[in-house]
């Protein structure tokens, strides 16, 4: 009889192997969550496995490999968020239900489903901002840096658009009426330097995202203070948020504080964590790579 081969007593030390192993476990835990008495505990456990996986990223020397592993981890984290969000896809307080509820494939990007409510999504806590406290700084490669109050923004030409909101966690809210000032008006005030290609837009409390100049300057990209005819509720970015209808929701910075114009692309909060730089929902550009 052949002897039983001895088992390798040590786990493999290759960080990519370690990450793969942790992702498989996280996937298993997540899939089993619905059968558990307390699915929240399973989600927590899966999130811990993802944290462990993230810690291994530091041991990967190759930048490209590290980025693609980071994206693989982030994709799982987003799946977890989606599961945890599912029971909460209901209207925010004081916000009317979305009027359109048809599953029209021309309106709903691939992999999205409609929500009648308006889920609240952000990292950190809602800042308590009085309208008088709002300032938007327009800076970087500009002719003249601007520090604009809400009153100054509201004195510029006002625009109203009706647009759909698509979150990377797979919910879509149709027919949002946004009122505000088009960002291109604000850019004109500051004067965009010829070498500008991109912008980083920041918001409370330490959030940011990147956009290319062409997208930021589109006529339906607004700094908005009203939604469906009412002042924007604080949980949804009030008193003032950015709205970028052509991109996944993470580009629509709530409680916006700064627009910084740059001659290169610099990733923001989620882009650093593996989300796609462009984020076109019709192309399903959720993550940096297809993993
Ligand atoms: N300041 C800030 N803005 C943010 C976020 C955030 O975490 N912080 N999350 C983004 C994400 S992922 C989405 S989908 C939308 C959600 O907007 P809502 O909460 O009004 O639905 O806000 C975006 N703007
Ligand atoms: Mo999102």
């Amino acid at each position: 009889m052949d002897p039983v081969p001895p088992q390798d007593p040590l786990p493999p030390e290759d960080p990519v192997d370690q990450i793969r192993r942790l992702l498989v476990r996280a996937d298993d835990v997540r899939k089993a969550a619905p059968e558990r008495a307390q699915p929240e505990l399973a989600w927590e456990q899966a999130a811990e496995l993802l944290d462990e996986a993230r810690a291994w990223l530091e041991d990967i020397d190759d930048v490209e490999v590290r980025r693609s592993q980071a994206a693989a981890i982030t994709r799982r984290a987003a799946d977890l968020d989606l599961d945890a969000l599912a029971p909460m896809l209901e209207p925010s307080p004081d916000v009317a239900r979305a009027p359109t509820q048809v599953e029209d494939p021309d309106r709903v990007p691939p992999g999205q489903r409609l929500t009648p409510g308006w889920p609240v999504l952000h990292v950190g806590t809602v800042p308590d901002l009085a309208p008088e406290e709002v300032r938007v700084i327009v800076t970087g490669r500009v002719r003249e840096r601007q520090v604009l109050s809400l009153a100054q923004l509201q004195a510029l030409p006002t625009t109203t658009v009706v647009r759909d909101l698509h979150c990377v966690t797979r919910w879509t809210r149709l027919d949002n009426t946004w009122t505000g000032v088009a960002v291109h008006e604000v850019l004109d005030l500051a004067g965009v330097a010829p070498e500008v290609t991109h912008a980083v837009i920041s918001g409370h409390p330490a959030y940011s995202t990147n956009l290319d100049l062409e997208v930021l300057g589109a006529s339906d990209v607004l700094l908005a203070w009203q939604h469906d005819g009412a002042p924007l509720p604080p949980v949804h970015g009030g008193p003032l948020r950015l709205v970028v209808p052509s991109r996944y929701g993470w580009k629509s910075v709530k409680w916006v504080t700064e627009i910084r114009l740059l001659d290169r692309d610099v990733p923001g909060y989620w882009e650093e964590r593996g989300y796609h730089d462009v984020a076109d929902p019709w192309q399903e550009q959720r993550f940096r790579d297809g993993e």
Side-chain angles (χ1 to χ4, degrees), residues 210-257:
N210 54 342
L211 284 168
D212 64 45
L213 182 63
E214 213 178 307
V215 171
L216 186 65
S219 59
D220 63 354
V221 171
L222 308 187
L223 289 170
W225 51 80
Q226 270 189 24
H227 176 271
D228 289 352
L232 190 56
V235 289
H236 290 299
L240 187 76
R241 82 180 291 171
L242 181 70
V243 179
V244 188
S246 65
R247 296 294 179 252
Y248 281 123
W250 86 79
K251 300 283 187 183
S252 292
V253 177
K254 304 199 277 192
W255 316 296
V256 59
T257 53

Coordinates of all heavy atoms in Angstrom, one line a residue, residues 210-257:
N210 N -13.0 61.0 -9.9 CA -12.4 61.7 -11.1 C -13.4 61.6 -12.3 O -14.2 60.7 -12.4 CB -11.1 61.0 -11.5 CG -11.2 59.5 -11.7 OD1 -12.2 58.9 -11.2 ND2 -10.3 58.9 -12.3
L211 N -13.3 62.6 -13.1 CA -14.1 62.7 -14.3 C -13.3 63.3 -15.4 O -12.4 64.2 -15.1 CB -15.3 63.6 -14.1 CG -16.5 63.0 -13.3 CD1 -17.5 64.0 -12.9 CD2 -17.2 61.8 -14.1
D212 N -13.5 63.0 -16.7 CA -12.8 63.7 -17.7 C -13.6 65.0 -18.0 O -14.8 65.1 -17.7 CB -12.3 62.9 -18.9 CG -13.4 62.4 -19.7 OD1 -14.4 63.1 -20.0 OD2 -13.4 61.2 -20.1
L213 N -12.8 66.0 -18.5 CA -13.4 67.3 -18.6 C -14.6 67.4 -19.5 O -15.6 68.1 -19.2 CB -12.3 68.3 -19.2 CG -12.7 69.7 -19.3 CD1 -13.0 70.4 -18.0 CD2 -11.6 70.5 -20.1
E214 N -14.6 66.5 -20.5 CA -15.7 66.5 -21.5 C -17.0 66.1 -20.8 O -18.1 66.7 -21.0 CB -15.4 65.6 -22.6 CG -16.0 65.9 -23.9 CD -15.5 64.9 -25.0 OE1 -14.3 64.7 -25.1 OE2 -16.4 64.3 -25.6
V215 N -16.9 65.1 -19.9 CA -18.1 64.6 -19.2 C -18.5 65.6 -18.2 O -19.7 65.9 -18.1 CB -17.7 63.2 -18.5 CG1 -18.9 62.8 -17.6 CG2 -17.5 62.1 -19.5
L216 N -17.6 66.2 -17.5 CA -17.9 67.2 -16.4 C -18.6 68.4 -17.1 O -19.5 69.0 -16.4 CB -16.6 67.6 -15.7 CG -16.8 68.6 -14.5 CD1 -17.6 67.9 -13.4 CD2 -15.5 69.1 -14.0
G217 N -18.3 68.7 -18.3 CA -18.8 69.9 -18.9 C -20.1 69.7 -19.7 O -20.7 70.6 -20.3
A218 N -20.6 68.4 -19.7 CA -21.9 68.2 -20.4 C -23.0 69.0 -19.9 O -23.0 69.3 -18.7 CB -22.2 66.7 -20.3
S219 N -24.0 69.3 -20.7 CA -25.0 70.3 -20.3 C -25.9 69.7 -19.2 O -26.6 70.5 -18.5 CB -25.9 70.7 -21.5 OG -26.5 69.5 -22.1
D220 N -26.0 68.4 -19.0 CA -26.9 67.9 -17.9 C -26.1 67.5 -16.7 O -26.6 66.8 -15.8 CB -27.7 66.7 -18.4 CG -26.8 65.5 -18.8 OD1 -25.5 65.6 -18.8 OD2 -27.3 64.4 -19.1
V221 N -24.8 68.0 -16.6 CA -24.1 67.8 -15.3 C -24.2 69.0 -14.5 O -23.8 70.1 -14.8 CB -22.6 67.5 -15.6 CG1 -21.7 67.5 -14.4 CG2 -22.5 66.1 -16.4
L222 N -24.9 68.8 -13.3 CA -25.3 69.9 -12.5 C -24.7 69.9 -11.1 O -24.4 68.8 -10.6 CB -26.8 70.0 -12.3 CG -27.7 69.9 -13.5 CD1 -29.2 70.1 -13.0 CD2 -27.4 70.9 -14.6
L223 N -24.5 71.1 -10.5 CA -24.5 71.2 -9.1 C -25.9 71.5 -8.7 O -26.5 72.6 -9.0 CB -23.5 72.4 -8.7 CG -22.1 72.2 -8.9 CD1 -21.3 73.4 -8.8 CD2 -21.5 71.1 -8.0
A224 N -26.5 70.5 -8.0 CA -28.0 70.6 -7.8 C -28.3 70.8 -6.4 O -27.7 70.3 -5.5 CB -28.6 69.2 -8.3
W225 N -29.4 71.6 -6.2 CA -29.9 71.9 -4.8 C -31.4 71.5 -4.7 O -31.9 71.6 -3.6 CB -29.7 73.4 -4.4 CG -30.3 74.3 -5.5 CD1 -31.6 74.7 -5.6 CD2 -29.5 75.0 -6.5 NE1 -31.7 75.6 -6.7 CE2 -30.4 75.8 -7.2 CE3 -28.1 75.1 -6.8 CZ2 -30.0 76.6 -8.3 CZ3 -27.7 75.9 -7.9 CH2 -28.7 76.6 -8.6
Q226 N -32.0 71.0 -5.8 CA -33.4 70.6 -5.7 C -33.5 69.2 -6.4 O -32.9 68.9 -7.4 CB -34.3 71.5 -6.4 CG -34.8 72.6 -5.6 CD -35.9 73.4 -6.3 OE1 -36.6 73.0 -7.2 NE2 -36.1 74.7 -5.8
H227 N -34.4 68.4 -5.8 CA -34.7 67.1 -6.4 C -36.3 67.0 -6.4 O -36.9 67.2 -5.3 CB -34.1 65.9 -5.6 CG -34.5 64.6 -6.1 ND1 -35.6 63.9 -5.6 CD2 -33.9 63.8 -7.0 CE1 -35.7 62.8 -6.3 NE2 -34.7 62.7 -7.1
D228 N -36.8 66.7 -7.5 CA -38.3 66.6 -7.7 C -39.0 67.8 -7.1 O -40.0 67.7 -6.4 CB -38.8 65.3 -7.1 CG -38.4 64.1 -7.9 OD1 -37.9 64.3 -9.1 OD2 -38.7 62.9 -7.5
G229 N -38.4 69.0 -7.3 CA -39.1 70.2 -6.9 C -38.9 70.6 -5.5 O -39.4 71.6 -5.0
A230 N -38.2 69.8 -4.7 CA -38.0 70.1 -3.2 C -36.6 70.3 -2.9 O -35.7 69.7 -3.7 CB -38.6 69.0 -2.4
P231 N -36.2 71.0 -1.9 CA -34.8 71.1 -1.5 C -34.2 69.7 -1.3 O -34.9 68.8 -0.8 CB -34.8 71.9 -0.2 CG -36.1 72.6 -0.1 CD -37.1 71.7 -0.9
L232 N -33.0 69.5 -1.8 CA -32.3 68.2 -1.7 C -32.2 67.8 -0.2 O -31.6 68.5 0.5 CB -31.0 68.4 -2.4 CG -30.2 67.2 -2.7 CD1 -30.9 66.2 -3.5 CD2 -28.9 67.6 -3.3
P233 N -32.7 66.6 0.1 CA -32.6 66.2 1.5 C -31.1 66.0 1.9 O -30.4 65.5 1.0 CB -33.4 64.9 1.6 CG -34.2 64.8 0.3 CD -33.5 65.7 -0.7
P234 N -30.8 66.3 3.2 CA -29.4 66.1 3.6 C -28.8 64.7 3.2 O -27.7 64.6 2.8 CB -29.4 66.3 5.1 CG -30.5 67.3 5.3 CD -31.6 66.9 4.2
V235 N -29.6 63.6 3.4 CA -29.0 62.3 3.2 C -28.7 62.1 1.7 O -27.9 61.2 1.4 CB -30.0 61.1 3.6 CG1 -30.1 61.1 5.1 CG2 -31.3 61.2 2.9
H236 N -29.3 62.8 0.9 CA -29.0 62.7 -0.6 C -28.1 63.8 -1.1 O -28.0 64.0 -2.3 CB -30.3 62.7 -1.4 CG -31.1 61.5 -1.2 ND1 -30.7 60.2 -1.5 CD2 -32.4 61.3 -0.6 CE1 -31.6 59.3 -1.2 NE2 -32.6 59.9 -0.7
G237 N -27.4 64.4 -0.2 CA -26.3 65.4 -0.6 C -26.6 66.8 -0.3 O -25.9 67.7 -0.7
G238 N -27.8 67.1 0.2 CA -28.2 68.5 0.4 C -27.3 69.1 1.5 O -26.8 68.4 2.3
P239 N -27.1 70.4 1.4 CA -27.7 71.4 0.4 C -27.3 71.3 -1.0 O -28.0 71.8 -1.9 CB -27.3 72.8 1.0 CG -26.8 72.5 2.4 CD -26.3 71.1 2.4
L240 N -26.1 70.7 -1.4 CA -25.7 70.8 -2.7 C -24.9 69.5 -3.1 O -24.0 69.1 -2.4 CB -24.7 72.0 -2.9 CG -24.3 72.3 -4.3 CD1 -25.4 73.0 -5.1 CD2 -23.1 73.2 -4.3
R241 N -25.2 69.0 -4.3 CA -24.5 67.8 -4.7 C -24.2 67.9 -6.2 O -24.9 68.7 -6.9 CB -25.2 66.5 -4.5 CG -26.3 66.2 -5.5 CD -27.0 64.9 -5.3 NE -26.2 63.8 -5.5 CZ -26.5 62.5 -5.1 NH1 -27.7 62.3 -4.6 NH2 -25.7 61.5 -5.4
L242 N -23.2 67.2 -6.7 CA -23.0 67.0 -8.1 C -23.9 65.9 -8.6 O -24.2 64.9 -7.9 CB -21.5 66.6 -8.3 CG -21.0 66.4 -9.8 CD1 -21.0 67.8 -10.5 CD2 -19.7 65.7 -9.8
V243 N -24.4 66.1 -9.9 CA -25.2 65.1 -10.5 C -24.5 64.8 -11.9 O -24.4 65.8 -12.7 CB -26.6 65.5 -10.7 CG1 -27.4 64.4 -11.4 CG2 -27.3 65.8 -9.4
V244 N -24.1 63.6 -12.1 CA -23.5 63.2 -13.4 C -24.3 62.0 -14.0 O -24.0 60.9 -13.8 CB -22.0 62.8 -13.2 CG1 -21.4 62.5 -14.6 CG2 -21.2 63.8 -12.4
P245 N -25.4 62.4 -14.7 CA -26.4 61.3 -15.1 C -25.8 60.2 -16.0 O -26.3 59.1 -16.0 CB -27.4 62.1 -15.9 CG -27.3 63.5 -15.4 CD -25.9 63.7 -15.1
S246 N -24.7 60.5 -16.8 CA -24.2 59.6 -17.7 C -23.3 58.5 -17.1 O -22.7 57.7 -17.7 CB -23.4 60.3 -18.8 OG -22.3 60.9 -18.3
R247 N -23.1 58.6 -15.8 CA -22.1 57.7 -15.1 C -22.8 57.1 -13.9 O -23.8 57.6 -13.4 CB -20.9 58.6 -14.6 CG -20.1 59.2 -15.8 CD -19.4 58.1 -16.6 NE -18.7 58.6 -17.7 CZ -19.0 58.5 -19.0 NH1 -20.2 57.9 -19.3 NH2 -18.3 58.9 -19.9
Y248 N -22.2 56.0 -13.4 CA -22.7 55.3 -12.2 C -22.7 56.4 -11.1 O -21.9 57.3 -11.1 CB -21.8 54.2 -11.8 CG -22.1 52.9 -12.6 CD1 -21.1 52.2 -13.3 CD2 -23.3 52.3 -12.6 CE1 -21.3 51.1 -14.0 CE2 -23.6 51.1 -13.2 CZ -22.6 50.5 -13.9 OH -22.8 49.3 -14.6
G249 N -23.6 56.1 -10.1 CA -23.8 57.1 -9.0 C -22.6 57.5 -8.2 O -22.6 58.6 -7.7
W250 N -21.6 56.7 -8.1 CA -20.5 57.1 -7.3 C -19.8 58.4 -7.8 O -19.0 59.0 -7.1 CB -19.5 56.0 -7.0 CG -18.4 55.7 -8.0 CD1 -17.3 56.4 -8.1 CD2 -18.4 54.7 -9.0 NE1 -16.5 55.9 -9.1 CE2 -17.1 54.8 -9.7 CE3 -19.2 53.7 -9.4 CZ2 -16.8 54.0 -10.7 CZ3 -18.9 52.8 -10.4 CH2 -17.6 53.0 -11.1
K251 N -20.0 58.7 -9.1 CA -19.4 60.0 -9.7 C -20.2 61.2 -9.2 O -19.8 62.3 -9.4 CB -19.4 59.9 -11.2 CG -18.6 58.7 -11.7 CD -17.1 59.0 -11.7 CE -16.3 57.9 -12.4 NZ -14.8 58.1 -12.3
S252 N -21.4 61.0 -8.7 CA -22.3 62.1 -8.3 C -22.1 62.5 -6.9 O -22.8 62.1 -6.0 CB -23.8 61.8 -8.6 OG -24.1 61.6 -9.9
V253 N -21.0 63.3 -6.7 CA -20.5 63.6 -5.3 C -21.5 64.4 -4.5 O -22.0 65.4 -4.9 CB -19.2 64.3 -5.4 CG1 -18.7 64.7 -4.0 CG2 -18.1 63.5 -6.2
K254 N -21.9 63.8 -3.4 CA -22.8 64.6 -2.5 C -22.0 65.5 -1.6 O -20.8 65.4 -1.4 CB -23.5 63.5 -1.6 CG -24.3 62.5 -2.4 CD -25.4 61.8 -1.6 CE -24.9 60.6 -0.7 NZ -26.0 59.8 -0.2
W255 N -22.6 66.6 -1.1 CA -22.0 67.6 -0.2 C -20.7 68.1 -0.8 O -19.6 68.1 -0.2 CB -21.8 67.0 1.2 CG -22.9 66.2 1.7 CD1 -24.2 66.7 2.0 CD2 -23.0 64.8 1.9 NE1 -25.0 65.7 2.4 CE2 -24.3 64.5 2.3 CE3 -22.1 63.7 1.8 CZ2 -24.7 63.2 2.7 CZ3 -22.5 62.4 2.1 CH2 -23.8 62.2 2.5
V256 N -20.8 68.4 -2.1 CA -19.6 68.8 -2.9 C -18.8 70.0 -2.3 O -19.5 71.0 -1.9 CB -20.0 68.9 -4.4 CG1 -21.0 70.0 -4.5 CG2 -18.8 69.2 -5.3
T257 N -17.5 69.9 -2.3 CA -16.7 71.0 -1.7 C -15.7 71.6 -2.7 O -15.3 72.7 -2.6 CB -15.9 70.5 -0.5 OG1 -15.1 69.3 -0.9 CG2 -16.8 70.2 0.7

